[in-house]
Amino acid sequence: MGSCVYNICFFFCILPLVFCQPASNQTTIMISVSQQLDIANSPWDASRERNPCLWKGVTCSSPHNNSILSLSLSGGSVPSRLGKSKVLERLELSVNNFTGMIPRDIGTYGNSILIDLSGNRLTGSIPESIGNLTSLQTLILSSNQLSGPIPAGLLHVTTLQLFSANENKLGGTIPSNITNSLKILDLSYNEITGRIPSEFLSASKLQTVDLFYNMLDGPIPESISSSLVRLRLGSNFLSGPISSARFGSFQNLRNLELDNNNFTGMIPPEIGSCPKLVLLNLAQNQLNGTLPVELGNLTNLQVLKLQLNKLDGEIPSQIGRLNMLTILNISWNSLNGIIPSSISNCGKLLILNLQGNNLIGSIPDNIGNLDSLVELQLGENKLNGRISFMPQKLQICLNLSSNLFEGSIPKALSGLMNLEVLDLSNNKFSGEVPNFLVELPSLTQLILSNNQLSGVVPNFGKHVSINKSGNPGLRSESNNSPEPELPPKKDSIALIIGVGIAALFYFFFFSFLFFHLLFQPQQKPNQRETQRNRNTK
């Protein structure tokens, strides 16, 4: 066929010939199609196997293999035309290089139960005729360049259980009642606008809804299905309070992500009634009030993100009941009081971020019991007192900056053999930089700025970046011996220019003098005598 043009239209022209023929003709035509495929090591190779029903990605009816039911060419490049079929049950054409639009007559696939066109370069809108696929159960159109609205025709596909069209350019509003039969809906990373319809989250079978990264506004609907397992509405323009009315019935909810919106009000205490909740992300909103003690009831919680809100009050000691927690981030709020010592009970913590609050007092002595901790962010608070034994597996960062620590840099930091970044800046640390910091083999960045340190900075080696500014008494080891003074840069340039001009002047002067003497006309010895003789004649 020559070079392949990767266009889905090829499939919608050839398939009726394949699937509407007797079995013998199907074999002949499938062999013909295989010969046209421009794929290295094609899974459809008639020279190796004459029976198409034994090819990878080809499914035939059983038990006699007398009819081809579905094709799957995921990951391969295909020729430029294939077509519609009234028999095909599964069309799996993901991760190819198809371009162009989804054919408008896709609705003729009357018996299709699965269509997967994901991971291509399809453009244009989703055809309304897709509503004619009355047997369709799974429709996957994700990771293309589709635009236009979500087709209202999907309302007529009462068999549809999974619809995924994430990572496209779909716009417009969400059609009403589109979730009536769905279990899973993923429309994330699109350009969908408007409000979420009031009945959108209430469908009795609905388990997963992902609308992350769109342009939706308004409140979350009051009516939410108790069957929900995952609700992801982050990175929109949603607003209003987070209603507490329905949380008591969310016995199956595992993931709740409402981050990066404009939600206001308090975190509802009823959220503690979701026994299976594993991930709770309410970060980057306008939430205020205190942390509800009911959070301690979420004993299956693994990720809790509440950063960048307006929360105040103390961190409740009940937080220590979350012994499955791996990430706790409540940074950049207005929390006050002390760090509860019960936090050391969260033995699986990997990341603890309390930065940017108004926490006071000392770091709990038992924080070193967090054996799995790799990152500890305590900067931008009002912490003081003794710094005790630190978790030995700290690796990513230990940030104690912008607090009220004073005295010498504590020996408790000497065992952090995996630590890469240590930030002690903007405190009142004094004395010399201890040599034990040099012995931390993984250290790549040491920030000591704006303290009261003095003496000589030890030699850390070239692999460690050190910021020591704002410590008047602290100097580098290389500054111990006086260095020869060099003229300032501007004076050096002026001197060079002056010397150059003088050199040019003398060059031209002596050159002129030399050539003047060299080419001056000279009289012969008897010239004057000859002239005098002529005058006397």
Side-chain angles (χ1 to χ4, degrees):
M1 257 188 79
S3 62
C4 292
V5 179
Y6 304 121
N7 192 309
I8 195 169
C9 293
F10 189 92
F11 273 101
F12 297 98
C13 295
I14 296 295
L15 287 183
L17 299 176
V18 175
F19 296 105
C20 298
Q21 301 288 335
S24 59
N25 287 352
Q26 286 189 15
T27 300
T28 301
I29 297 175
M30 282 298 295
I31 291 173
S32 175
V33 170
S34 73
Q35 293 170 350
Q36 299 178 50
L37 290 175
D38 187 17
I39 313 174
N41 300 317
S42 169
W44 295 359
D45 190 347
S47 64
R48 293 198 301 260
E49 174 56 61
R50 297 287 296 178
N51 184 0
C53 290
L54 299 179
W55 293 350
K56 181 180 179 181
V58 177
T59 302
C60 294
S61 61
S62 58
H64 304 296
N65 287 341
N66 56 1
S67 180
I68 297 175
L69 296 179
S70 67
L71 302 178
S72 176
L73 280 172
S74 296
S77 305
V78 295
S80 57
R81 302 181 187 88
L82 283 175
K84 57 192 177 181
S85 170
K86 298 181 180 179
V87 179
L88 187 64
E89 292 184 355
R90 302 173 66 89
L91 180 62
E92 299 178 55
L93 304 175
S94 62
V95 196
N96 284 285
N97 292 308
F98 297 130
T99 60
M101 301 174 65
I102 299 175
R104 302 302 170 190
D105 54 3
I106 193 173
T108 60
Y109 278 64
N111 291 337
S112 294
I113 61 173
L114 181 148
I115 295 178
D116 185 356
L117 304 177
S118 61
N120 287 289
R121 294 182 288 167
L122 301 176
T123 56
S125 59
I126 303 173
E128 283 288 342
S129 62
I130 210 161
N132 299 330
L133 304 178
T134 54
S135 299
L136 194 63
Q137 298 176 13
T138 301
L139 177 60
I140 305 176
L141 305 175
S142 54
S143 300
N144 280 288
Q145 300 171 24
L146 299 171
S147 58
I150 301 164
L154 286 174
L155 298 174
H156 306 300
V157 188
T158 58
T159 56
L160 192 62
Q161 298 181 24
L162 186 154
F163 175 38
S164 177
N166 56 299
E167 297 184 53
N168 280 286
K169 300 177 182 179
L170 299 176
T173 59
I174 299 174
S176 298
N177 301 308
I178 193 174
T179 57
N180 281 355
S181 63
L182 288 176
K183 290 184 179 180
I184 298 174
L185 174 66
D186 189 351
L187 297 174
S188 59
Y189 294 98
N190 278 289
E191 300 171 5
I192 302 169
T193 59
R195 295 195 168 198
I196 300 174
S198 58
E199 81 296 334
F200 181 78
L201 299 175
S202 63
S204 60
K205 299 178 182 178
L206 200 59
Q207 296 178 3
T208 296
V209 172
D210 193 342
L211 299 176
F212 182 81
Y213 208 91
N214 279 282
M215 295 186 286
L216 298 165
D217 56 31
I220 300 175
E222 288 285 336
S223 181
I224 301 177
S225 173
S226 60
S227 63
L228 268 180
V229 174
R230 184 185 188 196
L231 179 58
R232 192 173 186 232
L233 303 177
S235 294
N236 281 283
F237 301 105
L238 300 172
S239 59
I242 300 173
S243 174
S244 61
R246 300 284 295 175
F247 278 110
S249 62
F250 292 157
Q251 299 301 301
N252 297 307
L253 190 63
R254 294 174 60 86
N255 288 27
L256 179 60
E257 301 174 65
L258 307 178
D259 55 299
N260 197 17
N261 280 287
N262 297 312
F263 292 118
T264 56
M266 301 178 65
I267 299 174
E270 290 81 2
I271 207 166
S273 302
C274 303
K276 295 183 179 179
L277 203 60
V278 172
L279 186 155
L280 176 59
N281 188 352
L282 306 178
Q284 290 182 262
N285 281 288
Q286 304 294 322
L287 300 173
N288 55 32
T290 60
L291 295 175
V293 297
E294 288 80 2
L295 288 173
N297 298 334
L298 303 175
T299 54
N300 288 306
L301 200 63
Q302 296 179 21
V303 176
L304 177 58
K305 293 186 176 182
L306 304 173
Q307 70 268 24
L308 291 163
N309 278 287
K310 299 180 179 180
L311 301 170
D312 55 25
E314 299 185 358
I315 301 173
S317 61
Q318 289 83 353
I319 208 84
R321 297 173 58 188
L322 306 180
N323 53 21
M324 300 296 290
L325 208 59
T326 60
I327 297 176
L328 174 59
N329 191 340
I330 46 179
S331 61
W332 304 109
N333 281 284
S334 298
L335 300 172
N336 52 50
I338 64 171
I339 300 173
S341 60
S342 63
I343 207 166
S344 64
N345 296 330
C346 303
K348 295 186 177 181
L349 269 179
L350 299 173
I351 297 174
L352 175 59
N353 193 339
L354 307 178
Q355 184 175 8
N357 285 287
N358 297 311
L359 300 173
I360 61 172
S362 60
I363 302 173
D365 289 344
N366 59 1
I367 203 166
N369 296 337
L370 296 175
D371 294 333
S372 300
L373 203 66
V374 296
E375 181 176 356
L376 178 58
Q377 299 278 355
L378 300 177
E380 302 280 345
N381 281 288
K382 299 177 181 178
L383 300 171
N384 58 18
R386 186 172 67 92
I387 298 174
S388 60
F389 183 68
M390 286 282 121
Q392 297 298 286
K393 289 187 178 179
L394 280 177
Q395 176 182 349
I396 298 172
C397 181
L398 172 59
N399 180 4
L400 304 177
S401 66
S402 300
N403 280 287
L404 303 174
F405 295 114
E406 56 187 8
S408 59
I409 294 176
K411 183 72 172 178
L413 306 181
S414 62
L416 304 179
M417 295 299 171
N418 300 311
L419 190 64
E420 297 174 1
V421 178
L422 176 60
D423 190 348
L424 303 177
S425 62
N426 296 291
N427 282 285
K428 297 180 180 179
F429 288 113
S430 58
E432 296 186 347
V433 179
N435 284 316
F436 65 72
L437 292 179
V438 179
E439 299 172 4
L440 302 182
S442 300
L443 196 65
T444 60
Q445 189 173 7
L446 176 62
I447 308 172
L448 303 172
S449 55
N450 300 317
N451 280 286
Q452 300 171 10
L453 297 168
S454 58
V456 178
V457 178
N459 184 11
F460 280 86
K462 295 181 180 179
H463 68 283
V464 182
S465 171
I466 303 175
N467 187 340
K468 61 182 180 61
S469 62
N471 292 277
L474 190 62
R475 63 186 188 277
S476 299
E477 192 175 42
S478 58
N479 291 337
N480 288 341
S481 56
E483 297 180 359
E485 293 187 4
L486 297 175
K489 187 175 182 181
K490 291 183 178 179
D491 292 346
S492 299
I493 294 174
L495 180 62
I496 292 171
I497 293 175
V499 171
I501 292 174
L504 286 173
F505 173 79
Y506 284 110
F507 173 79
F508 285 115
F509 174 77
F510 285 109
S511 296
F512 172 79
L513 185 61
F514 174 78
F515 284 104
H516 175 73
L517 293 176
L518 181 64
F519 293 103
Q520 183 179 8
Q522 297 184 8
Q523 291 181 326
K524 294 179 181 180
N526 60 349
Q527 183 178 14
R528 290 184 181 179
E529 186 65 24
T530 304
Q531 183 66 33
R532 184 169 56 247
N533 294 336
R534 285 180 179 174
N535 290 335
T536 57
K537 289 184 179 179

